[in-house]
Amino acid sequence: MSIPRELYPTEDDLPYEEEILRNPFSLKQWWRYLVARADAPFTKRRVLYERALQALPGSYKIWHAYLRERLELVRNLPINHSLYQALNNTFERALVTMHKMPRIWIMYLVSLTQQKLVTRTRRTFDRALCALPVTQHDRIWEHYLVFVSQRGIPIETSLRVYRRYLKYDPSHIEDLLEFLLNSELWQEAAERLAGVLNDDRFYSIKGKTKHRLWLELCDLLTQHATEISGLNVDAIIRGGIKKFTDEVGRLWTSLADYYIRRKLVEKARDIFEEGMTTVVTVRDFSVIFDAYSQFEESMLALKMEEMSDSEVDEGSNGEVGAEEDVDEEDDRLNVAKLEKKLKEFWLNDDKDIDLRLARLEHLMDRRPELANSVLLRQNPHNVEQWHRRVKLFEGNPTKQILTFTEAVRTIDPMKAVGKPHTLWVAFAKLYENHKDIANARVIFDKAVQVNYKTVDHLASVWCEWAEMELRHRNFKGALELMRRATAEPTVEVKRRVAADGNEPVQIKLHKSLRLWLLFVDLEESLGSLESTRVVYERILDLRIATPQIIINYAVLLEDHKYFEDAFKVYERGVKIFKYPHVKDIWVTYLSKFVKRYGKSKLERARELFEHAVEQTPADAVKPLYLQYAKLEEDYGLAKRAMRVYDQATKAVPANEKLSMYEIYIARAAEIFGVPRTREIYEQAIESGLPDKDVKVMCLKYAELEKSLGEIDRARALYKHSSQFADPRSDPDFWDKWHEFEVQHGNEDTFREMLRVKRSVSASYSQTHFILPEYLMQKDQMQTLEEAKDVLKKAGVADDEMAALERQLAPPENDTKSKEQSRVVGFVSAGVVESNGQKVTANNEDIELPEESDSEEDDDKVEIALKEVPDAVFGGLIRKRDEGDEAEDDSTAKNKDSDGPLGALERIKRRKQQAS
């Protein structure tokens, strides 16, 4: 066989050939030769590879490079090409020496997998696993599993391979499960999955939890119920129900679905019912109930479809039936016809649509009851849920009685959520509403023997029992019940209970205030005064009385004319209780005592009031002082009343001092006259009242002085209170002072008022600009323009400056002498002409007539005289003697002549003295 020319070495190959001849077993020389001929055709490189491998058959590097080039050569060729066979032969030759190299095996196996040579590939995988050490098997199994998972591989082959793989690595059983599910091998998949769940040492490499695997098994068993056998599905799912409580509803529905697929419909209904009666969450109950109702609806719809189809078939076969009657005797031995007749027998009636419909309606009607049962299984000691359950059976007394009986047997009063005694009461009322009083008494008698958590629960049962007896006119029985309930246990019973260690509430029942209140009400209504007093005294002895009970007891005695006994009860009450509880007792006691005795026991009443105000805290003492003062005014001495008011002003808290002083002043003015109030006003101002209250008191005092004509004293009061009034936040005060000066003052006093206002404003503000202070500096500002400049620097707006300019602008009709004599800082009233008459433009300012200098006009001025108000004399005005009218008239004239002068009159007299 001739060798092609192109395979012979060229001149460029001679150096490499010579080196190889010198050392044919040098891998380095052969590799340099192959690298130098990297661009040569594969046929020439194949010769070089074959020569190199002949010299070095154990060289992994050369074999790997050779096989890679051969794989690259067949990459784009069809799998039936002849080069694939040459490639496979080359791999076989390489594995003679490279059988321990996993990479060569993997290259060969991947190539065979692509060639779709199933048998040869499987055998080659087996050879590789036999040739390689076990530490290298995981690299082979990875490709082996990919191979058996391909389409076209027989399932039995793949299954055997997976089973062998699990012997190598059992942790990859999930791969087998996935394969079995994809291959629809439900039986083995279920068995394998069940085995996984039973293995406590199993750990999922795919991150699946036992809970998820359980759900997958349940779905597998239920969806393929007819294809899986040999497994106790019921036991498996019930085991999951016990183990995984958060998916109980889904597991119950899965179990019912399993029986439905097995066509065991009644068994499925039993499973649904069992599930609804065992779940403890509303969510699981809703899942089961919805599945149950859908199942019943589907069964009903399916039966209706079957009935409609059967009616059509009967209509078409009607004519044939007439002919068959003729041969009835001949077909007696026909088994098929006999079975048909048996199916048409009335006991085997398939037309049960009404039954199915009734079953569905019954299920829907039971939903509230079943849901309530779920809540009671969550907490059987929930009283409210038991009440709701009883209400569900309204109209069915038998079921209500059974429910009450179950409730009172189930609930532990110590663990109850709610008030368990209400169940006993409602149970008894059920019998009462049905006119069965005897059984109602039996229920109450059992109820009062139960050991409740609190005494109030037991007391409520006794009270309800007594009220039931009252509703049925058994008054004597109600009183006897209250005596039984409030009876104190004997010493022997107490000793036995103390030895036992568990103290029931019945031992403490005799101290229940609720029972005693009902008992005393019954005694007041049905018993005698003596029996009622015994009950009240017993309450006081047990030290469970309230202020209201004290008052009720005293009122009862007063109604029966036992006044001194009633007052003794009040005395006991004020000794028992402290403030604030004793407040009502004191008020009632004092008012009753004063009303009863009045002036006859005045000293005792005073002692009571002194004792009361001594014990009363400051924030609650004001009503008692007012009551005390009223006593002195009505029955005692006016001076003592004033002393009480004075003590009250010192005893009340600061926020009530002002109102107390107002009352004090009003009463003093009414009794002793207005002048007597001056010392009270002064005392109030100096007593340390808050600033706002001092200001109010000064204003009232000033009004008083003004009404009495004491203008200077009133002005001094305004000046004193001005330090508490900020002109910016309290303009009302300054308006009142301004009005006062307009009516009674002059230019000097008005100017002094403005000065005080500026100083007060300055004290309230660190940065301030007041116009009169600038305008009074005549040396610095002579014109309005200069004032405007200063105001601009002070930050006064233009509109405000315009208003000030209009105020400061002199009137046109004023003379030059008036402008010169005008006092800066005092704004006089301008005079404008209106219809030929002069009208003052500013009613708030003082208008001085121009002709006030003439003495003639002074004589013409009429000074209005004002009578002294009757309030000045107070109660003394009532004591004036009617016979001394002349003397009183002369005294009044003298007072009028010495009365207060207005500002105009004082100015006139000053001018007369100067002239």
Side-chain angles (χ1 to χ4, degrees):
M1 179 174 134
S2 60
I3 299 175
R5 172 68 65 180
E6 61 271 10
L7 298 181
Y8 283 94
T10 62
E11 293 182 357
D12 297 334
D13 297 335
L14 291 179
Y16 299 103
E17 290 290 343
E18 291 176 355
E19 293 289 338
I20 289 173
L21 288 175
R22 291 191 191 99
N23 190 3
F25 302 106
S26 175
L27 175 62
K28 183 177 179 181
Q29 299 299 331
W30 282 110
W31 191 251
R32 288 176 61 191
Y33 196 180
L34 290 170
V35 172
R37 294 295 169 263
D39 297 334
F42 178 74
T43 54
K44 187 172 182 178
R45 290 176 56 79
R46 181 176 61 81
V47 173
L48 288 176
Y49 276 119
E50 291 291 344
R51 290 172 60 195
L53 290 172
Q54 188 175 3
L56 301 169
S59 175
Y60 171 78
K61 188 173 184 179
I62 296 177
W63 273 116
H64 185 264
Y66 186 25
L67 293 173
R68 288 190 55 164
E69 289 195 23
R70 294 202 71 98
L71 285 171
E72 190 66 26
L73 186 64
V74 300
R75 180 181 295 278
N76 297 323
L77 298 178
I79 59 175
N80 57 358
H81 199 274
S82 59
L83 288 179
Y84 274 102
Q85 184 61 36
L87 173 64
N88 295 339
N89 293 335
T90 304
F91 270 113
E92 291 292 341
R93 289 192 295 117
L95 289 174
V96 174
T97 56
M98 297 289 107
H99 59 278
K100 296 297 183 183
M101 299 298 174
R103 186 60 193 161
I104 303 299
W105 281 109
I106 291 172
M107 293 170 63
Y108 187 22
L109 294 171
V110 170
S111 177
L112 289 176
T113 302
Q114 294 174 354
Q115 296 175 42
K116 307 298 182 183
L117 302 175
V118 178
T119 303
R120 186 170 181 177
T121 304
R122 179 176 57 80
R123 291 176 178 176
T124 305
F125 270 112
D126 294 340
R127 287 168 52 202
L129 293 173
C130 292
L132 292 173
V134 70
T135 56
Q136 303 289 341
H137 282 192
D138 56 339
R139 302 176 66 180
I140 303 301
W141 276 113
E142 180 181 354
H143 299 280
Y144 204 174
L145 296 178
V146 172
F147 163 68
V148 298
S149 299
Q150 289 180 343
R151 289 182 175 273
I153 305 299
I155 294 177
E156 185 62 28
T157 301
S158 301
L159 189 57
R160 288 177 180 271
V161 171
Y162 271 107
R163 289 171 181 168
R164 286 174 53 198
Y165 176 59
L166 288 181
K167 292 180 181 180
Y168 166 72
D169 188 1
S171 63
H172 286 76
I173 191 171
E174 291 175 90
D175 296 331
L176 175 59
L177 292 173
E178 186 177 354
F179 170 76
L180 292 173
L181 294 175
N182 293 333
S183 303
E184 298 182 355
L185 299 175
W186 314 117
Q187 180 68 34
E188 186 171 355
E191 292 175 355
R192 293 277 184 177
L193 188 54
V196 165
L197 291 172
N198 290 328
D199 186 7
D200 295 334
R201 297 175 297 174
F202 172 75
Y203 175 77
S204 175
I205 60 175
K206 294 187 177 181
K208 292 184 178 180
T209 61
K210 282 287 187 74
H211 175 260
R212 183 177 176 184
L213 292 174
W214 265 102
L215 296 181
E216 290 181 359
L217 177 61
C218 293
D219 293 341
L220 180 62
L221 294 174
T222 54
Q223 293 174 7
H224 307 284
T226 58
E227 301 170 10
I228 298 175
S229 62
L231 291 176
N232 190 349
V233 179
D234 191 283
I236 291 173
I237 297 181
R238 287 179 184 273
I241 291 171
K242 294 178 181 178
K243 194 171 185 179
F244 304 103
T245 56
D246 55 342
E247 288 288 347
V248 173
R250 180 176 175 183
L251 292 175
W252 277 115
T253 55
S254 298
L255 183 57
D257 189 21
Y258 168 76
Y259 285 111
I260 292 172
R261 293 179 186 273
R262 296 290 298 269
K263 300 186 184 306
L264 301 175
V265 179
E266 294 301 327
K267 182 65 175 176
R269 287 195 178 98
D270 293 341
I271 295 299
F272 279 125
E273 292 288 343
E274 184 181 357
M276 288 191 299
T277 54
T278 55
V279 294
V280 294
T281 63
V282 178
R283 181 174 64 89
D284 293 333
F285 169 76
S286 300
V287 171
I288 299 174
F289 186 85
D290 293 342
Y292 193 8
S293 59
Q294 290 177 4
F295 163 69
E296 293 292 354
E297 290 174 0
S298 61
M299 292 295 294
L300 180 61
L302 180 63
K303 191 64 180 177
M304 294 178 69
E305 291 179 2
E306 291 178 358
M307 291 296 298
S308 61
D309 294 340
S310 63
E311 289 176 359
V312 174
D313 294 340
E314 288 177 2
S316 60
N317 295 331
E319 298 178 358
V320 180
E323 297 178 358
E324 290 181 352
D325 292 340
V326 180
D327 300 330
E328 182 177 357
E329 296 181 358
D330 299 334
D331 295 337
R332 289 177 181 176
L333 300 178
N334 192 332
V335 178
K337 289 187 176 181
L338 288 174
E339 290 181 353
K340 184 178 180 181
K341 289 181 179 180
L342 287 174
K343 289 182 178 179
E344 293 176 355
F345 191 54
W346 67 274
L347 286 174
N348 193 21
D349 187 10
D350 290 337
K351 299 179 181 180
D352 56 351
I353 295 179
D354 294 338
L355 176 62
R356 295 172 186 264
L357 187 59
R359 184 185 288 120
L360 179 59
E361 292 178 354
H362 180 62
L363 176 63
M364 293 301 176
D365 293 339
R366 288 167 55 212
R367 181 184 174 93
E369 178 185 351
L370 294 171
N372 181 262
S373 300
V374 173
L375 296 174
L376 286 176
R377 282 193 293 274
Q378 288 181 359
N379 184 8
H381 307 290
N382 192 330
V383 177
E384 179 62 27
Q385 295 301 329
W386 282 110
H387 279 294
R388 293 181 181 178
R389 187 173 185 83
V390 172
K391 194 173 182 181
L392 291 175
F393 301 127
E394 194 169 358
N396 190 349
T398 304
K399 276 203 167 186
Q400 285 183 323
I401 292 173
L402 293 176
T403 304
F404 273 124
T405 305
E406 183 183 2
V408 296
R409 286 178 180 175
T410 304
I411 289 180
D412 183 359
M414 298 301 172
K415 301 178 183 177
V417 178
K419 299 178 179 179
H421 72 279
T422 57
L423 285 172
W424 287 100
V425 173
F427 195 5
K429 284 185 177 180
L430 177 64
Y431 281 108
E432 181 188 359
N433 294 334
H434 289 82
K435 311 301 182 183
D436 191 354
I437 307 302
N439 278 325
R441 291 193 179 100
V442 171
I443 297 299
F444 273 122
D445 188 55
K446 292 182 179 180
V448 297
Q449 299 174 17
V450 177
N451 185 18
Y452 298 98
K453 187 184 297 184
T454 62
V455 179
D456 190 60
H457 292 173
L458 180 58
S460 300
V461 176
W462 280 103
C463 293
E464 291 289 343
W465 191 357
E467 290 175 1
M468 184 193 75
E469 298 294 348
L470 291 175
R471 286 194 293 270
H472 295 278
R473 304 286 181 176
N474 187 9
F475 304 122
K476 189 177 295 185
L479 281 172
E480 185 60 31
L481 281 176
M482 288 296 98
R483 293 190 184 97
R484 280 179 54 193
T486 56
E488 185 175 358
T490 61
V491 178
E492 183 180 354
V493 173
K494 290 183 179 180
R495 188 183 302 113
R496 187 169 60 251
V497 170
D500 188 19
N502 271 337
E503 188 180 63
V505 293
Q506 283 78 4
I507 299 297
K508 306 174 185 177
L509 181 64
H510 66 284
K511 290 186 177 182
S512 174
L513 182 60
R514 184 172 183 177
L515 278 178
W516 285 105
L517 289 176
L518 179 59
F519 191 12
V520 77
D521 288 343
L522 292 179
E523 287 290 353
E524 287 186 16
S525 303
L526 308 173
S528 61
L529 176 61
E530 288 72 17
S531 61
T532 308
R533 292 188 65 173
V534 170
V535 175
Y536 272 119
E537 291 295 333
R538 182 60 180 158
I539 294 174
L540 293 175
D541 293 340
L542 289 174
R543 296 181 177 274
I544 58 174
T546 63
Q548 189 60 48
I549 290 178
I550 298 294
I551 296 174
N552 293 343
Y553 187 15
V555 170
L556 173 69
L557 294 174
E558 290 173 7
D559 292 341
H560 289 81
K561 309 302 181 182
Y562 291 92
F563 296 104
E564 282 301 328
D565 291 344
F567 294 150
K568 290 179 182 179
V569 172
Y570 283 125
E571 289 287 347
R572 293 180 66 180
V574 297
K575 290 179 181 179
I576 294 173
F577 298 101
K578 303 297 181 184
Y579 265 89
H581 310 291
V582 76
K583 178 182 177 181
D584 294 334
I585 300 178
W586 270 120
V587 173
T588 308
Y589 181 21
L590 295 173
S591 60
K592 295 283 187 180
F593 190 88
V594 172
K595 182 180 179 181
R596 169 65 180 168
Y597 293 109
K599 192 176 182 179
S600 60
K601 294 186 179 182
L602 185 58
E603 288 302 325
R604 182 179 172 187
R606 285 170 178 167
E607 290 177 1
L608 288 176
F609 274 108
E610 291 293 340
H611 184 56
V613 297
E614 183 180 352
Q615 293 185 349
T616 306
D619 55 349
V621 77
K622 182 179 176 181
L624 293 179
Y625 269 114
L626 295 178
Q627 197 173 356
Y628 189 9
K630 185 71 167 56
L631 170 70
E632 293 292 349
E633 290 179 11
D634 293 342
Y635 306 107
L637 300 175
K639 289 184 178 181
R640 293 186 65 93
M642 293 299 104
R643 190 186 309 160
V644 171
Y645 283 122
D646 185 60
Q647 292 176 1
T649 56
K650 296 179 177 62
V652 296
N655 59 341
E656 294 182 355
K657 282 183 179 294
L658 178 62
S659 60
M660 195 66 235
Y661 270 113
E662 290 175 348
I663 298 172
Y664 186 12
I665 292 168
R667 301 306 301 159
E670 183 177 352
I671 297 173
F672 295 104
V674 175
R676 177 65 181 276
T677 61
R678 283 175 173 166
E679 59 184 22
I680 303 175
Y681 275 115
E682 293 173 2
Q683 177 186 343
I685 294 171
E686 297 174 359
S687 64
L689 288 172
D691 292 348
K692 58 179 183 178
D693 294 341
V694 172
K695 181 183 65 178
V696 173
M697 193 58 66
C698 287
L699 289 176
K700 291 179 178 291
Y701 194 8
E703 290 295 328
L704 171 66
E705 295 293 354
K706 187 173 68 172
S707 65
L708 296 176
E710 296 291 343
I711 303 302
D712 293 337
R713 292 174 63 90
R715 184 177 292 109
L717 287 169
Y718 276 114
K719 186 175 181 180
H720 175 72
S721 59
S722 64
Q723 57 183 320
F724 308 113
D726 185 2
R728 291 169 298 180
S729 61
D730 192 6
D732 295 338
F733 170 79
W734 296 98
D735 292 342
K736 291 180 180 179
W737 194 0
H738 182 278
E739 183 180 356
F740 172 78
E741 293 296 345
V742 168
Q743 294 178 358
H744 306 285
N746 52 32
E747 291 186 1
D748 295 334
T749 59
F750 196 88
R751 191 178 296 112
E752 178 65 15
M753 184 266 291
L754 293 178
R755 186 192 65 77
V756 172
K757 184 176 182 181
R758 288 195 301 272
S759 64
V760 171
S761 179
S763 65
Y764 277 99
S765 176
Q766 295 181 357
T767 305
H768 53 280
F769 296 89
I770 302 177
L771 179 61
E773 290 183 359
Y774 291 101
L775 296 181
M776 293 198 50
Q777 299 175 2
K778 296 183 179 180
D779 297 337
Q780 298 178 8
M781 292 178 290
Q782 299 294 333
T783 62
L784 291 174
E785 285 73 17
E786 294 178 0
K788 289 169 64 179
D789 294 337
V790 175
L791 290 173
K792 283 185 178 180
K793 293 179 182 179
V796 181
D798 293 339
D799 53 349
E800 295 180 4
M801 287 192 293
L804 291 172
E805 183 179 357
R806 288 193 298 271
Q807 291 180 7
L808 297 175
E812 297 179 357
N813 55 355
D814 282 356
T815 60
K816 187 175 181 180
S817 60
K818 286 186 179 181
E819 293 178 358
Q820 294 177 354
S821 62
R822 180 180 177 188
V823 179
V824 180
F826 180 79
V827 182
S828 63
V831 181
V832 297
E833 293 184 0
S834 176
N835 298 327
Q837 298 179 355
K838 292 184 178 181
V839 182
T840 57
N842 188 355
N843 295 327
E844 296 181 355
D845 295 329
I846 302 173
E847 180 182 4
L848 299 178
E850 297 178 358
E851 61 276 6
S852 61
D853 295 336
S854 62
E855 297 181 357
E856 298 177 359
D857 293 335
D858 292 344
D859 299 335
K860 297 179 181 179
V861 175
E862 295 181 359
I863 300 175
L865 300 180
K866 184 177 181 181
E867 294 183 357
V868 177
D870 294 339
V872 174
F873 305 101
L876 300 176
I877 196 170
R878 295 190 296 269
K879 300 178 181 180
R880 287 185 304 184
D881 190 5
E882 297 178 357
D884 299 335
E885 292 180 0
E887 184 178 354
D888 293 341
D889 291 340
S890 61
T891 304
K893 289 179 181 180
N894 294 332
K895 286 186 178 181
D896 290 340
S897 61
D898 296 334
L901 300 178
L904 184 60
E905 183 63 24
R906 288 198 298 273
I907 292 172
K908 289 180 179 180
R909 293 189 178 184
R910 192 183 305 123
K911 288 182 178 181
Q912 291 176 2
Q913 294 174 1
S915 61

